[in-house]
C-alpha cells in the first residue's frame, strides 16, 4: 500500500518486440507523454540509443548505443536532427499558431527539449575517444566501427537527379521571342 507502480511501454515481457523499435517519440505519439529516464531514441535505418540518469534526479546522463556504434552517416543524421531542432526553436516554437491548445504546445516544447538534449548528448558521445584512450596513453585505438568500410565495392549512381527542377524552369509568365542552339546545349 502506498507504493509507486512502475510500468513499461517498450521494455516489458509482453510488449510485442518493441524493445528495439519503440522509443520516446513513439510513446509520445501513442500515449501522449514524454517518458522519464531511461529514454530510448531509435532512428529507423540508422541508430538507436538509450539515455539514463546515473542517479535519479542528478541530471548526470549516460548514453548507451542500441545495436551498432554510429558511423559517419549516423553522426551526420544526428547533426541534421540537431540543426532541424534549432530551426524549429527559432520559428515554430517562437510564435506557435493560436490554433494549437496551450497544453499541446507545452508537450511539443517538452519533446523539443528532450530530443535536443538527446541528440546533443549522442553527438558528444559519438566521437569521443573516452573508451579508447587513457590520459597516460601515447596511442589511442579507435574502434573500426567509427568509419565506413572503404574496401566495400559500393556501386554509386552518379546520374541521380538531386531535385526535380523542371517546374521551376517553365517560366509561364514569359514569352519566348527567340530560340537558338549552342554547342553547350
Amino acid at each position: 500500500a502506498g507504493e509507486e507502480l512502475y510500468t513499461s511501454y517498450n521494455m516489458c515481457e509482453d510488449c510485442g518486440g518493441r524493445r528495439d523499435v519503440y522509443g520516446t517519440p513513439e510513446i509520445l505519439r501513442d500515449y501522449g507523454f514524454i517518458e522519464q529516464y531511461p529514454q530510448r531514441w531509435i532512428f529507423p535505418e540508422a541508430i538507436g540509443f538509450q539515455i539514463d540518469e546515473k542517479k535519479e534526479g542528478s541530471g548526470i546522463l549516460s548514453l548507451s548505443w542500441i545495436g551498432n556504434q554510429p558511423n559517419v552517416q549516423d553522426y551526420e543524421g544526428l547533426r541534421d536532427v540537431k540543426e532541424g531542432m534549432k530551426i524549429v526553436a527559432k520559428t515554430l516554437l517562437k510564435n506557435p499558431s493560436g490554433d494549437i491548445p496551450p497544453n499541446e504546445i507545452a508537450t511539443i516544447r517538452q519533446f523539443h527539449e528532450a530530443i535536443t538534449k538527446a541528440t546533443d548528448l549522442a553527438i558528444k558521445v559519438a566521437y569521443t575517444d573516452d573508451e579508447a584512450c587513457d590520459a597516460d596513453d601515447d596511442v589511442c585505438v579507435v574502434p573500426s566501427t567509427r568509419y565506413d568500410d572503404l574496401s566495400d565495392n559500393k556501386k554509386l549512381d552518379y546520374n541521380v537527379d538531386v531535385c526535380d527542377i523542371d517546374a521551376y524552369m517553365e517560366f509561364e509568365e514569359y514569352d519566348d521571342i527567340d530560340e537558338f542552339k549552342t554547342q553547350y546545349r
Side-chain angles (χ1 to χ4, degrees):
E3 294 179 19
E4 283 189 64
L5 294 176
Y6 292 97
T7 187
S8 174
Y9 293 92
N10 59 349
M11 302 297 283
C12 51
E13 296 292 325
D14 58 350
C15 288
R18 291 178 165 182
R19 172 179 238 113
D20 296 326
V21 295
Y22 200 84
T24 300
E26 291 78 19
I27 289 174
L28 172 62
R29 178 195 66 209
D30 295 343
Y31 301 103
F33 65 91
I34 308 296
E35 66 180 332
Q36 296 177 345
Y37 294 112
Q39 293 178 348
R40 293 172 76 81
W41 296 88
I42 300 164
F43 298 89
E45 306 300 321
I47 59 166
F49 52 90
Q50 179 169 305
I51 297 175
D52 203 356
E53 277 188 301
K54 292 190 178 199
K55 182 182 176 199
E56 190 174 333
S58 69
I60 300 171
L61 303 176
S62 65
L63 182 140
S64 56
W65 300 107
I66 299 169
N68 295 330
Q69 294 278 358
N71 60 26
V72 173
Q73 285 82 13
D74 298 329
Y75 179 77
E76 290 301 320
L78 289 169
R79 290 186 53 85
D80 288 346
V81 170
K82 179 179 179 168
E83 290 305 311
M85 291 300 104
K86 284 182 182 178
I87 292 168
V88 167
K90 291 178 184 175
T91 57
L92 300 173
L93 291 180
K94 194 170 192 175
N95 296 312
S97 168
D99 297 335
I100 303 173
N103 63 321
E104 289 184 18
I105 290 293
T107 301
I108 292 167
R109 285 190 169 121
Q110 187 181 8
F111 179 77
H112 179 267
E113 181 181 338
I115 194 169
T116 300
K117 189 181 288 187
T119 53
D120 286 350
L121 181 61
I123 288 168
K124 180 180 173 187
V125 170
Y127 281 101
T128 59
D129 292 325
D130 293 343
E131 304 94 28
C133 300
D134 191 359
D136 299 328
D137 288 345
D138 291 334
V139 177
C140 294
V141 179
V142 178
S144 62
T145 57
R146 171 177 285 188
Y147 303 104
D148 289 336
D149 184 2
L150 297 177
S151 65
D152 284 352
N153 291 327
K154 295 180 182 174
K155 182 129 175 120
L156 299 175
D157 185 3
Y158 292 105
N159 295 319
V160 175
D161 291 333
V162 176
C163 59
D164 182 14
I165 64 169
D166 291 341
Y168 296 113
M169 300 303 286
E170 288 182 5
F171 302 113
E172 292 175 10
E173 302 90 32
Y174 298 96
D175 295 324
D176 290 335
I177 55 171
D178 196 9
E179 252 185 57
F180 59 93
K181 290 189 179 184
T182 69
Q183 63 185 6
Y184 299 107
R185 266 180 129 170

